[in-house]
Amino acid sequence: MYAEKPEETKTAKLLKHFILFGMGGIAYIVIEMLWRGYSHWSMFMLGGMCFLVIGFINEQSRGKLPLLTQMAIGSASITLLEFLTGYIVNIKLGMNVWSYYDMPYNIMGQVCLEYTVMWFFLSAGCIFADDYLRYRLFGEEKARYRLI
C-alpha cells in the first residue's frame, strides 16, 4: 500500500525530528496563547514531544489503523505526556505552570477528562499536520486516511 521510503542518513533523520519537534512546540504555544492568553517554555517542550509521538504513531500505523483509532491513541499519549510533564514541572519543581484541581475527573491536578477529550480532536490536526509537513518538507508519500 505504501512505498518504502529511501534510507535516510542519521543526520537527516535527526534534522527532520528537530524540525518536527520545533513545529509541534510552536503550535502548542500558539494554541495555549489563544486558549488561555499565556504560555510557558515548558509547553514548547511538551508540544514538541507530543507532536513527535503522534507523528511516530502516525508513521507506524500507515494503512493499518483508522484515523479515529490514531486519534484515541494520540489523546492517551498526550494525556500521559502532560501528566509526566506536570508531575515534574508543577509538583517536583514547584513551577505551578498549570493546575486542573478545580476540574472534574482530574488526576493530581495535572490532567483531566475534559482536556483528554480535547486532545482527541486536536490529535487529528496533529496527524494531518505531521503528514503535510512530511510530504511538503521532506518529500514523503502523500497520506491517505480511512475514518474507521
Side-chain angles (χ1 to χ4, degrees), residues 67-85:
L67 182 61
L68 292 175
T69 303
Q70 286 186 60
M71 291 165 61
I73 295 169
S75 175
S77 299
I78 293 170
T79 300
L80 176 62
L81 287 168
E82 184 179 33
F83 179 80
L84 293 172
T85 302

Side-chain angles (χ1 to χ4, degrees), residues 47-67:
M49 288 187 293
C50 289
F51 197 69
L52 285 181
V53 167
I54 288 176
F56 177 77
I57 294 164
N58 188 28
E59 289 298 299
Q60 296 304 308
S61 67
R62 283 213 183 266
K64 299 174 197 159
L65 291 178
L67 182 61

